[in-house]
Amino acid sequence: MSAVAHGETIAAVSNYIFPNDLHVHWSLMIVLYPYITGLVAGAFIVSSLYHVFHIKALKPVARFSLLFALAFLICATWPLLNHLGRPERAMSMMLTPNPTSAMAGFGYIYSAYFIVLLLEIIFIFRPIVVGLGQKATGFMKALYGVLAIGSDNVSEKALKLDHKIIAFLAAIGIPMACFLHGYVGFIFGGIKANPLWATPLMPLIFLLSACVSGIAGIIVTYILLMKLSGREIDVECVQTLVKFLWGFFILDFTFEMLELFSHFYMATHHWHTLEALYSGPLFNTFWVAQVGIFSVIPFFLLMFMSLIRFKDGLLLFFAPIASIMILVQVLLMRWNVVVGGQLMSKSERGATVFHPMWLEKEGILPAIIIMIAPVVILWIIGKILPFWMDDEGVEVA
Amino acid sequence: MIDIKKEIQKDRRAFIKNVLSGTIAGSLLMVIPAGAALDERLPEQLPGMRGDDSPFTEKKFAFVVDVTACIGCGSCCVADKNEYNVPDGNYRTWVERYVIDDHDEVFVDSPNGGLDGYTEPRKDIPYPVRDTFFVPKLCNMCEKPSCVQVCPVGATYKTEDGFILIDKDRCVGCGYCIQACPYSVRFLNPVSRTAEKCTWCYSRVRQGLLPACVNVCPVHARKFGDLNDKTSEVYKILREPHVISVLKPGMGNQPALHYLGLRREVV
């Protein structure tokens, strides 16, 4: 029986793309933007697990993750500014925002989060900064003076107050980190014109993948920096991070699949387009790479590492491998959502293609530079604030 | 300079008055002759647009495209491109060609947005053609526009008379409106690096002229008018029992662009 007899409106996908849909507007830069903010939110969650939920095993990375978050947060706006057609007008979003626009909130949420993160770092590092300031000379002495916010009082009473402030900042920091990234998900999830994006699950998926990428990022950099500096790795800390990573990844992966399954099961007319997308242009990057390789393999690796007590050497070998795979998984997820969503034409009849170039304004090279920048910034921060020292000036590891 | 200072000191109040009246008179002089010249050049196509008794909030404009009339000549696209100097590869309006074969397969294309006109039939249809028609596309001027909702800086806005316009001096070029528009009528102008789209020729309409594409259509497939004017053609069409629909009604955007004889194959 013919399709028309069944009341189907679209009998064939003849690969017709609306003439204005040939060009993918949100390119690599908009893939990086949620990736970077995700790393920030995730790293902050790691720190909060220690500072608010008192997961003692995470003490070695609790301070480092805050600095990790700061380094990436500094760069979070870079891809956006590089993407804007008129970056010189970027401040209009904060000065004359449109209250109904999801995007207009970013400047405020970003700034508020930046302030909370900076304050928390200042209060946590104050005792160390005071100690370092006494030993330093010249410019560094002045810098430590500024970072100590003009107070060298490290009496027991003063530190008690500091701790209260830290607990408060960390506590409001958690909902803010969740909001920051849930909100980034909503920027996509609120676009009804795009069936791949328009799902209430989008903020949740973005948030969970943020947690996952942040924890994975901390595992990789912690082990790497410890090895490079010849320090001893706290296996208990890595073990705990791995367990949290697995826990968050179970939720993340479940919701990612659930979202797709819901579309498939409900099979509205949107599924027609999505099915063509997942079985066509996104087959390799979604099914093969994101799901098949970079979700399933680390899922089982993390499961084994969480359930079976691995020998230390084995754990420290597999934990970074699983974490790097998770970092790739999240990057692929950002790609598949941001670019994938734009490949479908709103004609519901076809898909365009997107191949980023190396040297264009929003190309691969600028993307690499933007991803290296936070690492360089982290290195500079490390020259000022020691990653692995506690209040008494003793190495925590 | 000293003279001006003396003048101000003599009577500050009178000086300010003089400056203000001079400014207002000057601005009026800049506006009035322009309108007069236009009146002389072109007859009014939209009734009541040049009269003083026509505050623009009283108008409710609608656009009707007659799918059964369009012959796919591409004149509208040419007029539009010339009127707005639209960069190649971007389209404020375009015309789609639908071909349905007797196996009920639908083939759609719009080479160069229909700008060159459909002079040759499609040759890649596997079975005998059962039906074929053309569908012109342009801004839907939604009652509830997604683009206005998402624009972070308010550069895309709705005028009091229901037009969705873009202030290119405010647009930051983020592309959010392009993502949000269900009809893909927007693009980023590569020269100004800001968003652009069809305006239903707002500047022409405000001067009592029809949109450029309506003006040139040889078969009267594009119709434009005021729904509050009971003598207008669009009012009559929308009142009478025709087959009328809008694009993607499920989006809830409530377009003011209506299609006469719209087919269900059209997205």
Side-chain angles (χ1 to χ4, degrees), chain A residues 221-271:
Chain A
T221 39
Y222 173 63
I223 294 176
L224 187 71
L225 289 175
M226 287 290 141
K227 291 238 171 179
L228 285 177
S229 61
R231 290 183 172 86
E232 200 185 327
I233 298 166
D234 187 325
V235 180
E236 187 61 29
C237 173
V238 175
Q239 181 81 38
T240 311
L241 282 171
V242 163
K243 279 184 183 164
F244 273 106
L245 182 55
W246 188 49
F248 276 111
F249 190 59
I250 292 172
L251 293 174
D252 180 35
F253 189 54
T254 307
F255 279 109
E256 279 173 16
M257 291 298 106
L258 200 58
E259 195 255 316
L260 188 63
F261 182 76
S262 304
H263 273 303
F264 159 75
Y265 191 79
M266 294 188 287
T268 62
H269 70 287
H270 289 320
W271 175 245

Side-chain angles (χ1 to χ4, degrees), chain A residues 300-326:
Chain A
F300 284 106
L301 276 178
L302 291 169
M303 187 175 85
F304 293 139
M305 278 188 280
S306 302
L307 299 180
I308 306 162
R309 181 77 213 194
F310 276 33
K311 282 202 177 106
D312 289 359
L314 215 54
L315 178 78
L316 296 180
F317 176 73
F318 279 116
I321 289 178
S323 301
I324 289 169
M325 291 189 85
I326 291 282

